[in-house]
């Protein structure tokens, strides 16, 4: 039988998490949290379809073509995690983490805004660069495909003179300016740093054209539930995204004002054309005395920032996962219906220092 251990998703205080027992951490294959990423339910794409009018877009955002890797990719995501848990110990056998299938990125702007092809997990790596005068406070984050070619996808950096946390996202690693042609999206938080909205590079509603087609779309929103009483257990995330139409394209959400955005619609339980996702709750593991999630070999370091995002109707279909593999390196994997900009912005929200929910 193939043995494996599960990556701890985060550290909790010693009062809640006594030291892990010494000796073997190896678990039986039958552990509840080792289900394969692919579930046996009906096509996961149906979870995200909400109808909506077909988008009238300036830019074409067609679904990426199906790739031949779909079958082999599904098998690959079912590999069990072979990382050992211990106090800062690395696994004895250094195993290569499963890499991304071959993804062709001909048009970068189109690729990062297009949903992942159905049946293919797009595996990426996020690196954090703290070098330079103010990079400690304002590090730049880079997103690359996690494969041999390490294709650059996106860069993100916090804006300095902003009242709230505000990240610019660019398709050029050297140009992180709001006015540049490489600006592709932004992530904006509320004053508390607990709610975030992700926009594309469209215009502010104040500068709308007559038919409103140039106005920015909201691509996602993230809500972190504040942990009361200082309990530092797993933090809870809610992710709100636009639904998909029958052509597997995002339904455009173009709010006319701040009261019409994804967050307000969700708070008012107006769920037309929007989908609610959550982070998968980690399971307490008595043997390792920690909360654990199975990242299938893609995450090697315990961190409060490690998470998996799922739909409540099919918790085995991992829409996105993010986790630490080194001090300033993380893996970020996403599936249909997310695009790279949505997933990267959700990951950036988890870095934010003002989070009142650590």
């Amino acid at each position: 039988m193939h043995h494996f251990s599960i990556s701890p998703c985060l550290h909790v205080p010693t009062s809640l998490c006594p030291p892990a027992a010494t000796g073997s951490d190896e678990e039986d294959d039958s552990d509840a949290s080792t289900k394969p990423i692919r579930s046996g339910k009906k096509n996961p794409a149906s979870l995200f379809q909400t109808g909506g009018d077909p988008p009238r877009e300036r830019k074409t955002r067609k679904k990426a073509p199906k790739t031949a890797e779909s079958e082999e990719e599904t098998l690959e995501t079912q590999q069990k995690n072979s990382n050992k848990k211990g106090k800062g110990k690395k696994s004895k056998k250094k195993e290569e983490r499963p890499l991304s299938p071959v993804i062709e990125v001909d048009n970068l702007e189109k690729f990062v805004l297009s949903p992942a092809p159905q049946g293919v997990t797009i595996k990426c790596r996020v690196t954090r660069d703290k070098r330079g005068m103010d990079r400690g406070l304002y590090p730049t984050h880079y997103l690359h495909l996690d494969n041999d070619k390490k294709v650059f996808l996106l860069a993100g950096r916090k804006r300095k003179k902003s009242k709230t946390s505000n990240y610019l996202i660019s398709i050029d690693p050297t140009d992180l300016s709001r006015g540049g042609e490489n600006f592709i999206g932004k992530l904006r938080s509320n004053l508390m740093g607990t709610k975030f909205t992700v926009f594309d590079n469209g215009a502010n509603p104040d500068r709308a054209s007559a038919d409103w087609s140039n106005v920015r779309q909201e691509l996602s929103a993230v809500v972190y539930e504040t942990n009361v009483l200082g309990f530092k257990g797993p933090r809870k995330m809610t992710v709100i995204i636009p639904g998909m139409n029958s052509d597997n394209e995002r339904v455009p959400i173009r709010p006319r004002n701040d009261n019409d955005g994804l967050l307000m619609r969700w708070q008012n339980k107006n769920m037309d054309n929007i989908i609610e996702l959550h982070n998968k709750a980690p399971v307490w593991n008595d043997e390792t005395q920690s909360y654990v999630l199975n990242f299938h070999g893609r995450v090697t370091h315990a961190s409060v920032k490690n998470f998996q995002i799922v739909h409540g109707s099919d918790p085995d279909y991992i829409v996105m996962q993010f986790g630490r593999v080194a001090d300033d390196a993380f893996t970020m994997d996403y599936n249909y219906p997310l695009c790279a900009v949505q997933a990267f912005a959700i990951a950036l929200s988890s870095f934010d220092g003002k989070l009142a929910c650590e």
Side-chain angles (χ1 to χ4, degrees), residues 38 82-83 87 93 124 156 174 203 218 232 237 261 269 273 294 344 353:
R38 181 70 52 221
S82 61
N83 305 311
K87 283 206 155 179
K93 280 187 191 165
C124 307
T174 64
E218 288 193 8
K232 288 189 180 264
M237 299 167 68
K269 299 190 166 42
N273 289 329
N294 188 4
F344 186 48

Side-chain angles (χ1 to χ4, degrees), residues 46-279:
S46 61
L47 297 171
F48 308 105
Q49 192 170 327
T50 59
D53 297 316
R56 294 186 303 279
E57 289 297 285
R58 293 174 297 147
K59 305 186 177 81
T60 53
R61 291 184 186 167
K62 288 278 182 286
K63 190 178 67 162
K66 286 250 181 194
T67 63
E69 289 86 13
S70 299
E71 280 303 309
E72 131 199 4
E73 179 53 22
T74 301
L75 296 172
E76 184 185 69
T77 55
Q78 294 178 10
Q79 289 180 355
K80 300 293 184 273
N81 189 347
S82 61
N83 305 311
K84 286 209 174 272
K85 160 76 174 102
K87 283 206 155 179
K89 280 189 304 197
K90 304 254 170 64
S91 57
K92 285 175 190 158
K93 280 187 191 165
K94 178 93 167 106
E95 282 210 12
E96 286 297 307
R97 63 179 181 277
L99 297 181
S100 186
V102 177
I103 305 281
E104 293 302 324
V105 183
D106 298 325
N107 176 334
L108 184 54
E109 181 174 0
K110 183 180 173 186
F111 176 83
V112 297
L113 287 167
S114 298
Q118 292 177 33
V120 176
T121 301
I122 299 184
K123 298 180 178 180
C124 307
R125 186 176 174 91
V126 175
T127 48
R128 181 167 54 182
D129 182 1
K130 293 180 175 174
R131 292 171 302 187
M133 282 291 286
D134 56 2
R135 289 282 178 88
L137 287 173
Y138 300 98
T140 303
H141 298 86
Y142 300 102
L143 182 72
H144 291 81
L145 280 179
D146 193 9
N147 57 19
D148 294 338
K149 290 186 179 173
K150 300 198 171 20
V151 179
F152 168 81
L153 298 179
L154 294 166
R157 190 172 190 217
K158 203 172 190 175
R159 296 181 77 177
K160 291 176 190 165
K161 294 176 179 148
S162 234
K163 290 186 187 128
T164 62
S165 292
N166 204 322
Y167 290 80
L168 286 183
I169 300 172
S170 170
I171 50 174
D172 182 338
T174 64
D175 174 17
L176 282 152
S177 62
R178 173 72 179 81
E181 57 185 34
N182 297 303
F183 167 67
I184 194 93
K186 74 173 184 179
L187 170 74
R188 188 179 74 193
S189 85
N190 64 350
L191 282 168
M192 285 277 290
T194 54
K195 294 177 181 173
F196 295 80
T197 303
V198 184
F199 302 93
D200 72 1
N201 56 0
N204 188 298
D206 301 343
R207 295 187 286 279
S209 60
D211 66 354
W212 212 259
S213 63
N214 68 328
V215 170
R216 66 189 179 195
Q217 291 186 45
E218 288 193 8
L219 300 179
S220 178
V222 188
V223 179
Y224 289 90
E225 192 177 299
T226 50
N227 280 335
V228 291
L229 305 175
F231 173 63
K232 288 189 180 264
R235 59 186 185 181
K236 290 185 180 170
M237 299 167 68
T238 300
V239 173
I240 305 124
I241 57 172
M244 308 297 280
N245 67 17
S246 53
D247 293 329
N248 296 316
E249 295 170 326
R250 247 190 325 276
V251 177
I253 305 285
R254 289 194 175 90
R256 300 194 168 236
N257 54 56
D258 283 344
N259 295 320
D260 184 35
L262 288 171
L263 283 170
M264 288 304 291
R265 294 185 192 195
W266 172 76
Q267 280 169 251
N268 295 330
K269 299 190 166 42
N270 170 14
M271 301 300 286
D272 290 348
N273 289 329
I274 67 173
I275 303 287
E276 177 181 315
L277 308 170
H278 295 276
N279 63 318

